Amino acid sequence: MKAVRGERYIYRRGDRLYFRRGVPEDVRSLFGGRTEVIISLRTSSIAEARHKRQRELEKFEREIASFRGEIAPSEIANAAFPPSVRIMEAGVREAFAERMERVQGVNRNDPDAVQAALRRLEDLKSFLREAMASRRLGSDGPTLDVVWMAQALRERNRWAVDEGSDPWWKLIDLVTRAQIEAAERQLQGLDGTPQRTLDEMFGADHFAADAQMREATKSAAPVSLHTLFDEYVTERKPAPATVKSFGRQLRRFCAFLQHDDARRVSKQDVDRWKGELLARGGKDGSPLNPKTVRETYLPAVRVALQRGVDSGALTENVAKGVGVLGKKKAARLRSPSLSDEEAMKILRATLVEDKTRTSPQRKLARRWVPWLCAYTGARVNELTQLRVEDVAQIGGIWTIRITPEAGSTKNHEARVVALHPHLLDQGFHKIIEGKSGHLFFDPADGRGGSEQNPHSKNVGEYLARWVREIGVDDPLVQPNHGWRHRFKSQARKCKMDPEIRDYIQGHAPRTEGEAYGDISPDVMLREIKRLPSYATHS
């Protein structure tokens, strides 16, 4: 089966075309454990296959979204939206005009036609009395004809108008006025009197304004928020974790709006969503932390809209300026750095033989990653993604190479870090003997492995849980990230060169001048040696 060039999810086998789509790991149980779905499109025509592919793709997305408790992109794009009074008036006028076009004149030379017209005249007068009465306070409500037409207009225009709501009664009144005006004009025609407009809402000026609005809408075609986000990802290439997080928040925003059109998003929409998140944005309906809303949710909308502005599809990023004040930062009750006692408890625990049924790679991670964190201050996921080829001698000095080739680095740049002599004394450099590939996980393992949820991240999370289990459980210090703070503190104590200290940790240079040139392993080793060795014996 070969992919059809230029077509996503369409594959060819012989002269037949198929829809083929990989199944995300978290929903494979929905598809009987399969890693992909293959469905015959029952055609050999690319044009027909494109149409059928879209239908299968939307079905596939709906099933996954339902399983995850989300809303599929196709459902968002076609969802109903709350109309303004102006839009409802235009919709009612359009239906009124269509009705008047269907009204036929009366052949006054045909006795049967005249009798039918007279009966119709009486029916119209009776309807007029009922319709006008329904608009008075204390009436029994709208006639059944009016309710049916309001329901039909709501479905036809995809208006999110709940029966009994204020917009619903406004729609009922507009439809009633349209029915009265239509009946009056038909009476005028049957009586032979000159036709005139009784309700100003159905005057020629309003129909002309409606036509202008429709033309403006046609020239301003909908702009999908999801498409803008995809363009942002293609252009900026953010970290997979960012793509996953922002994509999820954008879906929530579209579900809140009940549409996917960036042109229809207003600053008030973004502000209302912010308020909803702060009030009940959690999975259990609890309030979300202001910091989470400010730094995770709003940026997802902001980057998508900014992409629209940059491409010329939008004139303004309405999410700009919508902020979250929240509370002042809480008082720091302790340092974010691991204390001496906490650091020693973790390092001593790594030396205890692991007799559990944990995989060999995770046992190796538990043994060595905390030590690497202690002597390099690197991010834990930069270390859990190390490969055998990333551990090497350069000019006789043992080093590790932290590189985006192996996974993610925050600054998207590779760096070589010399290893502290204490790591070599323990034999870290010998663990690569007879091995290949990644050191701390097996890519063939079923746990994780997607671009947005990599194995290295899962190993880091495993280590964090383990650290908590052995008693380093103060919630005010992070079990892995605390090493980065500690490294910085220890480096200051031993007067390590700040430029080299920042390079080792992957922090940005403090000045433009520091960004010039390279830092060789021998220079780095000279500074790393300043760090005192951790004595793990009691």
Side-chain angles (χ1 to χ4, degrees), residues 358-366 369 380-388 390 405-408 435-450 453-460 462-463:
T358 306
S359 70
Q361 291 82 9
R362 287 204 169 181
K363 288 182 180 180
L364 204 63
R366 202 193 79 167
V369 171
V380 69
N381 290 344
E382 292 179 329
L383 299 172
T384 56
Q385 69 193 20
L386 285 175
R387 304 163 300 176
V388 168
D390 297 325
E405 292 176 344
S408 174
K435 291 187 176 68
S436 62
H438 288 88
L439 288 171
F440 302 123
F441 62 83
D442 181 357
D445 195 326
R447 289 181 291 244
S450 68
N453 190 37
H455 286 285
S456 56
K457 179 174 179 286
N458 290 341
V459 177
Y462 157 74
L463 291 172

Side-chain angles (χ1 to χ4, degrees), residues 417-466:
V417 177
L419 293 177
H420 192 281
H422 192 204
L423 289 170
L424 305 181
D425 292 343
Q426 296 180 68
F428 171 72
H429 56 302
K430 296 179 181 179
I431 70 171
I432 65 173
E433 295 175 359
K435 291 187 176 68
S436 62
H438 288 88
L439 288 171
F440 302 123
F441 62 83
D442 181 357
D445 195 326
R447 289 181 291 244
S450 68
E451 184 182 15
Q452 297 174 354
N453 190 37
H455 286 285
S456 56
K457 179 174 179 286
N458 290 341
V459 177
E461 291 170 350
Y462 157 74
L463 291 172
R465 291 193 300 271
W466 171 72

Side-chain angles (χ1 to χ4, degrees), residues 514-526:
E514 287 187 359
Y516 278 66
D518 298 316
I519 298 178
S520 60
D522 59 324
V523 173
M524 212 178 315
L525 181 61
R526 181 192 68 205

Side-chain angles (χ1 to χ4, degrees), residues 47 90 97 119 160 181 197 244 255 271 375 415 418 456 468 472 474:
R119 289 193 297 271
E181 180 70 15
T197 300
K244 180 179 179 181
D271 193 66
Y375 284 127
R415 67 185 188 277
S456 56
R468 294 304 193 200
V472 181
D474 189 337

Side-chain angles (χ1 to χ4, degrees), residues 165-346:
S165 65
D166 288 342
W168 169 256
W169 289 116
K170 180 62 180 177
L171 177 59
I172 287 290
D173 187 58
L174 292 173
V175 171
T176 302
R177 289 169 64 182
Q179 295 285 63
I180 291 173
E181 180 70 15
E184 290 281 12
R185 292 197 187 184
Q186 285 181 263
L187 285 174
Q188 294 166 10
L190 291 170
D191 286 341
T193 58
Q195 195 171 86
R196 58 193 179 91
T197 300
L198 299 178
D199 190 326
E200 184 270 339
M201 184 180 123
F202 300 95
D205 291 346
H206 286 290
F207 280 100
D210 291 346
Q212 290 178 353
M213 185 175 71
R214 282 193 294 271
E215 285 302 314
T217 301
K218 287 179 183 177
S219 62
V223 177
S224 167
L225 278 164
H226 288 88
T227 298
L228 292 178
F229 181 68
D230 289 343
E231 291 175 0
Y232 158 77
V233 171
T234 300
E235 180 179 318
R236 296 297 298 275
K237 295 180 174 55
T242 301
V243 176
K244 180 179 179 181
S245 173
F246 278 19
R248 181 169 60 244
Q249 313 318 346
L250 194 66
R251 288 195 296 273
R252 287 191 63 175
F253 180 59
C254 291
F256 173 78
L257 295 179
Q258 293 193 317
H259 70 79
D260 178 44
D261 187 358
R263 292 188 189 278
R264 288 166 50 191
V265 178
S266 67
K267 189 176 288 287
Q268 290 74 21
D269 289 332
V270 182
D271 193 66
R272 283 191 303 110
W273 187 53
K274 177 195 75 175
E276 179 71 12
L277 294 171
L278 292 172
R280 56 188 73 84
K283 289 183 178 179
D284 58 353
S286 59
L288 279 179
N289 185 290
K291 183 175 184 289
T292 302
V293 176
R294 180 173 57 249
E295 297 182 4
T296 304
Y297 284 77
L298 293 179
V301 177
R302 198 174 293 125
V303 299
L305 292 176
Q306 188 58 45
R307 172 57 196 156
V309 173
D310 294 343
S311 68
L314 303 176
T315 58
E316 179 188 8
N317 184 345
V318 297
K320 279 189 174 180
V322 178
V324 183
L325 294 177
K327 297 179 181 178
K328 290 184 178 180
K329 191 173 181 179
R332 179 183 287 184
L333 302 179
R334 64 155 289 174
S335 167
S337 170
L338 288 166
S339 67
D340 291 345
E341 181 183 354
E342 289 166 334
M344 295 311 300
K345 179 176 283 191
I346 295 170

Side-chain angles (χ1 to χ4, degrees), residues 76-102:
I76 293 172
N78 296 311
F81 68 95
S84 65
V85 173
R86 172 75 178 87
I87 289 175
M88 285 196 294
E89 286 181 351
V92 169
R93 275 192 290 267
E94 184 179 18
F96 168 83
E98 291 173 355
R99 172 176 174 176
M100 296 311 299
E101 287 178 0
R102 293 194 298 269

